[in-house]
Amino acid sequence: GATCGLFPIDERTVEYLRLTNRTEAAELTEAYYKEQGLWYSTAHAPEYSDVLELDLSTVEPSLAGPSRPQDRVAVKDVAAAFKKDLPKILNQPDAQADVTPKSAVKGETFKLGHGSVVLAAITSCTNTSNPGVLMAAGILAKKAVEKGLTVKPWVKTSLAPGSKVVTDYLVAAGLMAPLRDLKFQVVGYGCTTCIGNSGPLPTAIEETVLGEKLAVASVLSGNRNFEGRVHANIRANYLASPPLVVAYALAGTVNLDLMKDSLGTGKDGKPVYLKDIWPTPDEVDAAVAKHVTGSLFQKSYADVFKGPEAWQKLPAPKGDLYQWDTKSTYIKEPPYFEGMGKTPPGISDIHAARCLCNFGDSITTDHISPAGSIAKDSPAAKYLGSHGVEKKDFNSYGARRGNHEVMVRGTFANTRIKNKMVPGVEGGVTKHQPSGEQSSIFDAAMKYRGEKVPTVVLAGKEYGTGSSRDWAAKGPYLQGVRAVISESFERIHRSNLVGMGIVPLCFKEGESAATLGLDGTEVFDFPPLKDLKPGQMLKVTAKKGDGKSVSFDCKVRINTPNELEYVKHGGILQFVLRQILNS
């Protein structure tokens, strides 16, 4: 959640700029920072308020998972951690890690069970602009091929570099061929598996996973692995370095100690271990020094803004206003300015509100507004189907984020989201109050809107953690959510809620929906909001079905006068437009 990081500028910084074909910037950087007295050298080390020491001998390889990037697990402990986490992963307290049904793919029969790796992806996120780890993955693949190892047949693999330069230097180093031999072929440049764009699993694999209710795994070099993000049917998702992604593809399971157990049998009939194929630092450094050059960057980025010939030939309409295509299911004119007057309406009161969802801790923006595939029976799927779109052409929520009709139906539609109002059920489901009717969250939201009933969301700690996805605020706004009451917010998502005119509130320290006895069936009343102040305490009253009421104080997490203005305008979009009109 850091806004910025400050790093010392030294010779390595300048070296990197020259390597990536930015020689002029390198010279300017060195001259500027030396003149400013900010150039780092051991002879003139800065004085720090705190100095932390790290013993490099204690550093060990690790992954993160199975559902949060902050949950570090050492490679040697992955199998034990997976077994321990399995009941939670499956949402079954008595789950065991020994299910091994048979599955047939392309005529080959093999065992597939909990922990089988069915997806291994070197993705574009974060570290695939780092030549060291890409070369390491390539060298590991080369050594694995030389030993006679192959990727397990149930593993779907992919390579999606963050830059075309990666392909060039892997080819130059002779490492693209062994990666291809292990089925790590380039599928594109940009967001793929990390954001849910891996495509479907092979039919036989998917049928076995669903039929046997298996908790299979993915291993990817991305930076986010929240529930339901990577793939709707893969419950355990681990983040790893590119060479470890290749290693787990060879192993085919997370149920092993990669530091001790065999990855497979070599062509000489002997077991092959990770230590046998792991690249040395000297090997990686030599490959980078020889094959990663500034000329590669110059060649790849010389015409980066021109685009390919097909792009250049696209017809571009002229005029000051965008010409909306009413038949498009990808881009649709949004409704944010419908009925908007020249003066801000102020904050309308929230009276007799109902709870749309009651969530626990760590509800991420992927839970609130998934970016991956569109489930075939979801509200979004029904909308697309009604517009003549076949399932094979549904694409993803991320691809259709220009159509609010799709995105509002995808809000709270994550396949792994858990709403306490419907215990034991996964997915975007809730109960309409007071009828108790169970339906999709979207359908309930639209019913409340039809009844002119405002809604609120209850949540635990870290509400909105993860990607700072604008649709995680836009979607609830379009569903009619007026306020979110949580124990704490991820700071960017809190800001995004304010930007859509949704009031973020925090329970008092030590209080929560659970401690207050709130289950989501209550009717919520707020005091008048006309004179709302940033950071003030607000008393909310929740009336239960038996007539009893619970009153509790919340802190208004509108933090500044500017933010208050956004909410008074109905959101930052309306605020900006009125500013333009009034100027």
Side-chain angles (χ1 to χ4, degrees):
T3 302
C4 65
L6 301 178
F7 299 88
I9 306 297
D10 60 7
E11 289 88 351
R12 294 303 298 270
T13 310
V14 173
E15 179 185 315
Y16 175 76
L17 290 171
R18 290 199 178 100
L19 176 69
T20 54
N21 195 45
R22 289 176 278 194
T23 303
E24 187 177 336
E27 294 172 356
L28 178 61
T29 298
E30 182 171 356
Y32 175 83
Y33 281 92
K34 283 183 174 178
E35 184 68 23
Q36 293 295 325
L38 296 173
W39 182 263
Y40 180 85
S41 72
T42 53
H44 303 284
E47 292 184 14
Y48 297 104
S49 55
D50 294 288
V51 176
L52 305 179
E53 292 190 1
L54 173 65
D55 181 352
L56 292 178
S57 68
T58 65
V59 176
E60 57 183 328
S62 64
L63 278 71
S67 61
R68 299 195 311 172
Q70 64 264 44
D71 292 335
R72 176 187 171 276
V73 53
V75 168
K76 63 182 175 59
D77 298 328
V78 169
F82 173 77
K83 191 169 184 178
K84 181 182 176 182
D85 290 336
L86 187 61
K88 184 179 179 182
I89 293 169
L90 283 171
N91 203 24
Q92 298 172 5
D94 58 347
Q96 299 295 318
D98 59 356
V99 181
T100 53
K102 291 183 177 180
S103 173
V105 175
K106 295 180 181 177
E108 185 174 2
T109 302
F110 50 81
K111 291 183 177 181
L112 196 68
H114 293 316
S116 294
V117 174
V118 297
L119 202 60
I122 300 175
T123 72
S124 67
C125 309
T126 306
N127 56 16
T128 46
S129 288
N130 174 357
V133 292
L134 266 297
M135 288 295 197
I139 295 169
L140 186 142
K142 183 173 183 288
K143 291 184 176 184
V145 170
E146 289 170 351
K147 290 282 186 181
L149 293 184
T150 58
V151 168
K152 297 298 186 288
W154 55 84
V155 185
K156 183 176 183 177
T157 53
S158 63
L159 168 59
S163 167
K164 289 185 177 182
V165 174
V166 174
T167 306
D168 292 339
Y169 64 64
L170 286 175
V171 169
L175 299 177
M176 185 59 79
L179 282 166
R180 285 177 181 152
D181 289 342
L182 296 183
K183 302 179 184 177
F184 282 93
Q185 304 195 58
V186 174
V187 295
Y189 301 90
C191 292
T192 53
T193 300
C194 180
I195 201 168
N197 291 336
S198 66
L201 298 174
T203 303
I205 296 282
E206 192 148 315
E207 288 176 351
T208 304
V209 169
L210 296 177
E212 301 293 338
K213 298 180 179 176
L214 297 178
V216 291
S218 75
V219 181
L220 60 149
S221 64
N223 53 19
R224 294 187 179 93
N225 57 337
F226 300 116
E227 289 181 308
R229 176 186 174 108
V230 173
H231 193 286
N233 298 324
I234 300 177
R235 289 179 173 268
N237 301 280
Y238 293 92
L239 306 180
S241 66
L244 282 178
V245 170
V246 178
Y248 273 100
L250 296 168
T253 180
V254 296
N255 287 312
L256 83 167
D257 181 350
L258 211 60
M259 308 303 287
K260 292 181 179 179
D261 298 333
S262 165
L263 297 176
T265 303
K267 58 188 176 185
D268 59 0
K270 296 179 181 179
V272 179
Y273 299 92
L274 186 63
K275 64 182 180 180
D276 299 328
I277 60 173
W278 192 260
T280 66
D282 288 344
E283 288 174 318
V284 173
D285 289 346
V288 171
K290 184 175 181 180
H291 299 291
V292 183
T293 64
S295 61
L296 292 181
F297 289 87
Q298 182 179 18
K299 173 189 169 186
S300 186
Y301 290 101
D303 297 322
V304 69
F305 294 112
K306 287 185 179 179
E309 185 180 353
W311 172 263
Q312 294 177 35
K313 288 183 177 179
L314 281 175
K318 302 187 183 304
D320 294 333
L321 298 179
Y322 184 81
Q323 298 172 21
W324 301 100
D325 179 358
T326 56
K327 294 180 181 179
S328 174
T329 56
Y330 277 94
I331 301 177
K332 189 176 176 68
E333 185 174 8
Y336 307 121
F337 305 122
E338 289 178 1
M340 191 187 98
K342 289 187 177 180
T343 57
I347 308 174
S348 60
D349 291 339
I350 304 175
H351 176 67
R354 287 290 186 174
C355 178
L356 184 61
C357 317
N358 180 12
F359 296 127
D361 297 338
S362 296
I363 292 296
T364 70
T365 52
D366 277 288
H367 287 110
I368 304 167
S369 183
S373 59
I374 299 171
K376 63 180 180 179
D377 297 322
S378 64
K382 292 174 184 175
Y383 167 84
L384 291 172
S386 70
H387 285 72
V389 181
E390 296 181 37
K391 184 183 183 302
K392 65 182 178 64
D393 297 320
F394 279 178
N395 212 322
S396 65
Y397 287 111
R400 292 189 180 272
R401 58 189 165 196
N403 185 340
H404 64 277
E405 296 286 7
V406 173
M407 300 305 290
V408 70
R409 286 164 173 79
T411 300
F412 301 120
N414 182 295
T415 55
R416 297 285 169 257
I417 199 169
K418 299 174 185 69
N419 179 8
K420 293 181 180 180
M421 295 173 69
V422 194
V425 177
E426 289 183 323
V429 180
T430 194
K431 285 184 178 178
H432 173 270
Q433 303 298 328
S435 69
E437 177 187 344
Q438 185 169 313
S439 70
S440 71
I441 293 174
F442 168 75
D443 287 338
M446 293 304 101
K447 189 169 184 177
Y448 283 128
R449 292 202 67 162
E451 297 166 343
K452 294 187 171 19
V453 174
T455 55
V456 300
V457 170
L458 300 178
K461 299 179 180 67
E462 298 178 358
Y463 183 77
T465 192
S467 312
S468 55
R469 192 166 296 159
D470 59 343
W471 269 109
K474 288 177 179 176
Y477 165 83
L478 292 175
Q479 286 191 351
V481 173
R482 292 291 316 282
V484 177
I485 312 173
S486 72
E487 293 178 60
S488 64
F489 290 95
E490 191 277 336
R491 83 186 161 83
I492 300 176
H493 184 63
R494 181 209 64 81
S495 177
N496 285 348
L497 289 174
V498 168
M500 292 309 299
I502 297 174
V503 180
L505 301 165
C506 275
F507 292 108
K508 284 198 312 186
E509 187 73 29
E511 289 188 348
S512 65
T515 64
L516 293 166
L518 306 176
D519 60 13
T521 61
E522 300 84 3
V523 176
F524 293 83
D525 276 311
F526 292 65
L529 302 179
K530 183 178 68 171
D531 298 320
L532 201 64
K533 300 287 191 300
Q536 77 172 76
M537 298 303 292
L538 199 71
K539 188 174 290 293
V540 179
T541 300
K543 187 176 181 180
K544 294 180 171 292
D546 59 6
K548 295 181 180 178
S549 294
V550 178
S551 292
F552 53 96
D553 291 323
C554 292
K555 183 173 183 178
V556 176
R557 288 301 312 280
I558 298 172
N559 292 350
T560 67
N562 276 353
E563 288 188 342
L564 184 61
E565 283 301 306
Y566 301 156
V567 178
K568 286 180 177 179
H569 278 259
I572 194 169
L573 299 174
Q574 294 87 339
F575 173 82
V576 170
L577 185 56
R578 287 192 181 100
Q579 293 292 104
I580 294 171
L581 292 172
N582 291 332
S583 65

